[in-house]
Amino acid sequence: MSTDDDFEIDEPELTTDDLLVLDDPRFTPDTVAIVTGAASGIGEATALALAANGLTTVGIDVDEEDLDATANLADDLGVPGEFVATPADLTDDEAVERAVDGAADRGDLRYVANIAGLQHIAAIENFPMERYDVMQSVMVRAPFLVAKHAIPHIEATEDGVGAIANMSSVHGHYATQDKASYITAKHALHGLTRSIAAEGAGSLRGFSVSVGYVLTPLMVNQIEDTAAERGIDERRVVEDVMLGQARTKEMMTPAEVANLFVFGFSGHAKHLNGGDLLFDGGYTHTYE
């Protein structure tokens, strides 16, 4: 990356060595986990990480082609758990209900990772409302709807133990410019997480995961949009905007985020309920 013209950043290739594998009595093929947004990025990595822990993992995404690519990668990695590609539009209520019920038919549905998300970079006065509505539908309404349909299945297991995890962000803790819809959605997810914990009777937990910038396709596309919105080059977006406030000058990988979901679902995290796993490299607590 010697010049701005040469600047390029790509999502890292995932291997099984990147994935956290834990010894947990509920991490078996009879246990089912749902992961939304499983066609790419953090969702794909989380689905593969849960399958690497032996769970039957149902990946939900509207992108059928890339969802099949996740299934192929699961085969290539030889993960012990089954990955089940389930194409569905998270803005379609009936499709969401069918996907959740279908997942529960495969075993004891215990875990849900609401990860699907999208981004749009624009100032509030320029923000297209149709894009705002889609973002809120996918990142706020859909997690609520998935939880609504998943909770009865989790409660119907022999011991009612399970967890619903929501993908938040450092932007669920503070605001920066030009991301108002995304920030609104991520703040809302903290409220949903706490509500799940409040209603879960202790055995059904809710938690969220908040990280800084992650090397995903969403982030790679965001660099160009942010550069255009702020009138700066892409190198400055990464070095000054994205990593400028962080103390750890390195972006997380999707696998590193996926491992947080694995830990959060495991018995090691049984006291994580209503809380947020904040791994941000110092973004939120070292402000200058």
Side-chain angles (χ1 to χ4, degrees):
M1 297 190 297
S2 57
T3 69
D4 290 334
D5 291 339
D6 295 331
F7 184 83
E8 186 174 346
I9 190 166
D10 297 306
E11 184 179 2
E13 182 178 350
L14 186 146
T15 71
T16 53
D17 290 339
D18 300 319
L19 302 176
L20 176 67
V21 176
L22 297 174
D23 184 11
D24 189 286
R26 294 187 180 88
F27 284 8
T28 71
D30 293 330
T31 297
V32 178
I34 290 173
V35 179
T36 71
S40 66
I42 296 170
E44 177 187 60
T46 301
L48 294 170
L50 293 171
N53 277 271
L55 285 80
T56 296
T57 305
V58 175
I60 299 175
D61 204 292
V62 72
D63 188 338
E64 188 168 354
E65 182 177 351
D66 283 348
L67 199 57
D68 287 340
T70 301
N72 292 335
L73 182 54
D75 290 339
D76 292 342
L77 294 175
V79 293
E82 181 184 9
F83 175 80
V84 182
T86 304
D89 183 347
L90 291 172
T91 67
D92 182 334
D93 287 12
E94 293 182 356
V96 169
E97 183 174 9
R98 285 195 302 270
V100 173
D101 289 346
D105 288 340
R106 294 182 171 274
D108 289 335
L109 175 58
R110 293 188 183 274
Y111 307 117
V112 173
N114 285 310
I115 297 176
L118 58 159
Q119 180 63 279
H120 187 87
I121 305 298
I124 293 172
E125 64 268 27
N126 300 323
F127 212 99
M129 289 310 297
E130 65 275 10
R131 187 64 171 173
Y132 176 93
D133 291 340
V134 170
M135 291 175 70
Q136 300 307 306
S137 182
V138 171
M139 292 195 289
V140 180
R141 192 178 188 278
F144 188 100
L145 186 62
V146 172
K148 170 184 171 68
H149 292 303
I151 286 172
H153 292 296
I154 297 171
E155 292 178 336
T157 61
E158 183 178 2
D159 52 14
V161 172
I164 296 175
N166 298 308
M167 185 75 242
S168 185
S169 166
V170 291
H171 287 98
H173 293 263
Y174 65 47
T176 58
Q177 62 186 18
D178 303 326
K179 297 180 182 178
S181 182
Y182 187 86
I183 291 162
T184 299
K186 295 306 185 183
H187 276 73
L189 284 176
H190 289 291
L192 174 60
T193 297
R194 293 163 188 162
S195 297
I196 292 168
E199 298 180 14
S203 58
L204 169 57
R205 297 181 291 112
F207 68 91
S208 56
V209 173
S210 293
V211 297
Y213 291 92
V214 183
L215 283 169
T216 66
L218 180 69
M219 188 283 303
V220 173
N221 294 334
Q222 185 179 327
I223 292 173
E224 182 178 351
D225 293 342
T226 301
E229 183 70 18
R230 300 196 181 191
I232 59 178
D233 61 56
E234 294 181 11
R235 179 189 295 278
R236 283 191 60 198
V237 170
V238 174
E239 295 178 354
D240 298 340
V241 178
M242 293 183 170
L243 295 179
Q245 188 171 309
R247 291 300 171 268
T248 304
K249 300 298 183 181
E250 181 180 356
M251 291 187 183
M252 291 184 75
T253 67
E256 288 173 323
V257 184
N259 292 339
L260 299 178
F261 285 94
V262 171
F263 169 76
F265 287 143
S266 76
H268 298 286
K270 64 182 178 181
H271 294 289
L272 174 63
N273 200 7
D276 181 62
L277 286 174
L278 176 62
F279 279 59
D280 68 347
Y283 276 100
T284 59
H285 297 302
T286 54
Y287 184 80
E288 291 184 340

